[in-house]
Amino acid sequence: MNSTATQPQTVAPPEAELISRNPATLEELGRAPISTTRQVNDAVARARAAQAAWASLSFKQRGAHILRAKDLLVQRQDDLCELIACETGKPTVEALSSEVMPVANLMDYFARKSERLLRDEQFTLSVFRNKKSRILYEPVGVAGIISPWNYPFSIPMGEVVMGLMAGNAVVLKPSEHTPLVGIQIGELFREAGLPDGVLQVLTGDGTTGGALADAAIDKIFFTGSVRTGRKIAEAAAQRLLPFVLELGGKDAMIVCADAPFERTINGALWGAFCNCGQTCASVERLYVVESIADRFIQAVVEKTKTLRVGYEGQQDIGPLNNSRQLQVVTEQIQDAVAKGAKILAGGRRIDGLPGYFFEPTILMNVNHSMRLMQEETFGPVLPIIVVKDEAEALREANDSSFGLLASVWTTDTRRGRRIAEQLEAGTILINDVIYTHGAPETPWFGVKQSGMGVTHSRHGLREFVRMKHINWDLMPMKSNLWWFPYSEKRHRDFKFLMTLLHKWGLKKWI
Ligand code: NAD
């Protein structure tokens, strides 16, 4: 696929262009402008001007735009999958199963359910019996979204759809590694008839992202590395801009003695190597109990050697997306080997292929002093640690500054849930990995350094609104008991009320 992408409002000089390359062949796929601070500010002003009219539409009307865009997505699924595969390096089937299809599900879900998920709440108060409250959810206004390259379609699309359904105008800055997919997101909605200014896609690099964080937006939604997330939080703190951060992970997989054997091996392989290990929720640490360790590790190694790496025809694993990732993976493996790790499979860049291909790698004799066990790897590398029992596995799994997802593998669901309750992560899956990003009704979020705030589900949708609380009298009186003038009698009245409510226990009944 070879296309030169430009946006109508940005005519960039040649030196201010991104060159998008296929990481499998290193061929140029197309170019896109690096939007300037001025262009970012202009886009935010256009978004501000368009937002009120968009918010005045009903949920049904906004949902109709999303569903029209979904119809276009369905029609163009093959082209889109090809573009995603070319720009990221992932197999086309994975572009469909992990990006395009989950997005179609998500569009459907939020187009139809947002009204119910954001319905007003009304209630009478308990002590203040004469009062009633109503909670409304209003759009935040202009939402800025900054997204990464590893899921260049599904991550920004989820945020865009939720932002639009909640009544916001959205300005999206896709990753500099995948600008062409970002541009297609804008195209889908433009062709679906979204009013001008309601969604704008501004391609660019970190400077464009920084300009968006500094622009007159009302909330920023960032998905990316901890390093950049910290910069976003610092910029946002200067002006108390609310933010959501979806950051990196170092997800642990705990394999109990009674794990379903075949499923656990297949799950470990997919969890560690899908998208060439470049998933925030990739399995990056595997703890297996010693009673099954030998048999389990042997089976994992054998099956890893059957995985097909390449870019033409049927392959399981494509290349890493960029040279920086290749360097991180190589350095972490070197550090681990220098400290005593043993490579059981893979461990090298694949010669003879032009792009950033790396063999799926299994290591053991690893420990938590190694970079590989502390830092996010984001590559096709699975370090395995043999533990005495589940208690040791839990301690080791929680010994991390990250907390995105984790998984427990056992045929005893009660045991799985007991371990899950003690794991320090946003989501814990029993006998599965990663997949809940594709289930729009489930929340996606990290604890510790893996992030703040939530995406997907009604909790993620509510990140795109602000609450308004309205309160009124059922039967207005001349004055409230706690207003002026104060007196001895008023003091006695309050003391009596305290006794009535909290000593005699009337509070229990109201
Ligand atoms: P990154 O932090 O390098 O870049 C992310 C985005 O931020 C890009 O669009 C980039 O242009 C922009 N950016 C860079 N510098 C900026 C700045 N100073 N101000 C504003 N924006 C700036 O991350 P990446 O390499 O694109 O993505 C990989 C990372 O994302 C991994 O750590 C991965 O775990 C994480 N991730 C997390 C989730 C999640 O849901 N938690 C999902 C996907 C990826």
Side-chain angles (χ1 to χ4, degrees):
M1 185 170 293
N2 214 315
S3 67
T4 300
T6 51
Q7 284 184 298
Q9 71 268 29
T10 50
V11 182
E15 66 273 21
E17 278 183 324
L18 300 169
I19 301 178
S20 172
R21 292 190 186 281
N22 183 330
T25 60
L26 306 190
E27 283 164 7
E28 182 178 328
L29 294 167
R31 294 181 181 218
I34 297 180
S35 308
T36 62
T37 300
R38 186 164 167 199
Q39 287 164 333
V40 170
N41 290 337
D42 288 350
V44 171
R46 275 195 298 276
R48 173 86 49 216
Q51 190 263 332
W54 174 249
S56 74
L57 299 182
S58 67
F59 280 100
K60 210 167 173 179
Q61 287 168 319
R62 293 201 291 265
H65 283 277
I66 305 293
L67 292 175
R68 268 202 303 280
K70 190 195 92 168
D71 289 343
L72 284 170
L73 166 70
V74 174
Q75 277 168 31
R76 298 200 189 143
Q77 54 179 299
D78 292 342
D79 288 348
L80 260 169
C81 289
E82 197 196 331
L83 178 62
I84 295 167
C86 283
E87 223 177 14
T88 59
K90 66 184 70 180
T92 315
V93 56
E94 209 174 284
L96 180 60
S97 62
S98 302
E99 298 225 52
V100 171
M101 188 164 154
V103 165
N105 296 343
L106 179 141
M107 293 173 94
D108 212 63
Y109 178 77
F110 284 107
R112 296 181 201 283
K113 298 275 188 244
S114 293
E115 181 166 15
R116 188 165 63 74
L117 298 176
L118 293 179
R119 189 172 288 159
D120 299 355
E121 295 161 44
Q122 195 157 300
F123 51 94
T124 17
L125 278 56
S126 64
V127 173
F128 303 94
R129 300 294 280 186
N130 187 31
K131 300 277 191 182
K132 202 157 187 176
S133 275
R134 184 158 167 235
I135 311 274
L136 318 174
Y137 297 101
E138 294 183 337
V140 293
V142 177
I145 298 173
I146 300 177
S147 55
W149 46 265
N150 61 333
Y151 290 84
F153 192 65
S154 62
I155 289 175
M157 277 296 278
E159 306 280 348
V160 165
V161 169
M162 287 184 292
L164 294 177
M165 279 311 300
N168 300 283
V170 172
V171 179
L172 165 66
K173 207 297 280 175
S175 167
E176 56 272 45
H177 296 291
T178 50
L180 305 186
V181 174
I183 287 169
Q184 284 311 311
I185 292 175
E187 280 301 298
L188 266 184
F189 284 99
R190 193 184 60 75
E191 289 180 41
L194 202 72
D196 279 351
V198 171
L199 169 66
Q200 293 167 85
V201 179
L202 295 183
T203 52
D205 56 12
T207 55
T208 312
L212 182 56
D214 288 338
I217 53 175
D218 298 297
K219 187 159 180 177
I220 187 140
F221 296 79
F222 173 79
T223 309
S225 63
V226 172
R227 189 170 34 86
T228 315
R230 200 169 275 129
K231 289 185 194 162
I232 298 282
E234 280 166 7
Q238 292 304 316
R239 56 197 180 107
L240 298 182
L241 178 73
F243 56 83
V244 169
L245 302 178
E246 304 289 341
L247 308 178
K250 189 82 206 161
D251 292 0
M253 169 167 180
I254 294 181
V255 181
C256 302
D258 65 346
F261 199 72
E262 279 293 308
R263 180 173 176 81
T264 308
I265 289 157
N266 293 333
L269 259 58
W270 192 76
F273 303 138
C274 74
N275 203 22
C276 199
Q278 301 165 115
T279 302
C280 50
S282 288
V283 174
E284 294 212 351
R285 300 176 290 148
L286 189 151
Y287 303 97
V288 56
V289 294
E290 63 187 2
S291 59
I292 61 159
D294 287 348
R295 195 163 72 95
F296 178 80
I297 294 170
Q298 191 189 350
V300 167
V301 169
E302 273 168 20
K303 211 150 191 185
T304 297
K305 289 180 177 165
T306 68
L307 294 172
R308 297 154 303 173
V309 184
Y311 66 101
E312 282 168 328
Q314 290 294 319
Q315 77 273 8
D316 303 304
I317 303 175
L320 288 158
N321 178 263
N322 53 67
S323 57
R324 193 185 69 184
Q325 276 319 123
L326 182 65
Q327 190 185 342
V328 170
V329 169
T330 310
E331 285 176 5
Q332 286 194 8
I333 291 178
Q334 278 167 358
D335 171 75
V337 170
K339 290 176 180 158
K342 188 174 164 202
I343 295 175
L344 302 182
R348 289 181 311 117
R349 182 177 185 175
I350 299 177
D351 297 327
L353 289 174
Y356 309 115
F357 290 93
F358 203 92
E359 294 172 339
T361 301
I362 309 282
L363 294 111
M364 63 179 292
N365 295 355
V366 291
N367 62 58
H368 285 208
S369 75
M370 299 170 179
R371 284 181 57 195
L372 183 69
M373 296 301 285
Q374 293 175 4
E375 301 167 17
E376 189 177 41
T377 306
F378 230 49
V381 182
L382 180 61
I384 300 181
I385 290 192
V386 180
V387 288
K388 191 159 62 61
D389 52 23
E390 289 148 15
E392 188 184 346
L394 245 173
R395 274 197 307 279
E396 295 271 305
N398 285 340
D399 178 26
S400 171
S401 59
F402 293 101
L404 190 54
L405 267 69
S407 62
V408 186
W409 298 74
T410 170
T411 38
D412 178 349
T413 306
R414 277 172 56 191
R415 168 181 299 161
R417 285 168 56 173
R418 204 177 55 238
I419 296 172
E421 281 165 19
Q422 297 173 76
L423 274 165
E424 295 164 6
T427 296
I428 296 102
L429 302 177
I430 299 172
N431 298 335
D432 220 320
V433 283
I434 305 174
Y435 90 97
T436 49
H437 198 270
E441 62 275 52
T442 64
W444 186 270
F445 62 103
V447 298
K448 300 185 184 173
Q449 294 204 358
S450 290
M452 286 170 204
V454 188
T455 188
H456 294 182
S457 80
R458 72 187 163 93
H459 304 282
L461 185 64
R462 286 194 183 178
E463 297 279 9
F464 282 94
V465 289
R466 58 176 165 237
M467 215 161 44
K468 178 171 277 174
H469 175 202
I470 301 175
N471 179 271
W472 65 95
D473 277 325
L474 293 173
M475 282 192 304
M477 292 182 293
K478 264 199 321 211
S479 178
N480 282 330
L481 194 59
W482 56 92
W483 288 2
F484 298 136
Y486 295 155
S487 65
E488 274 304 313
K489 178 176 179 313
R490 191 61 60 87
H491 197 163
R492 279 197 308 277
D493 288 346
F494 268 105
K495 285 190 85 131
F496 176 68
L497 263 177
M498 274 296 279
T499 305
L500 195 67
L501 290 170
H502 299 291
K503 213 163 161 188
W504 295 350
L506 188 67
K507 182 73 190 69
K508 269 191 294 206
W509 308 105
I510 57 177

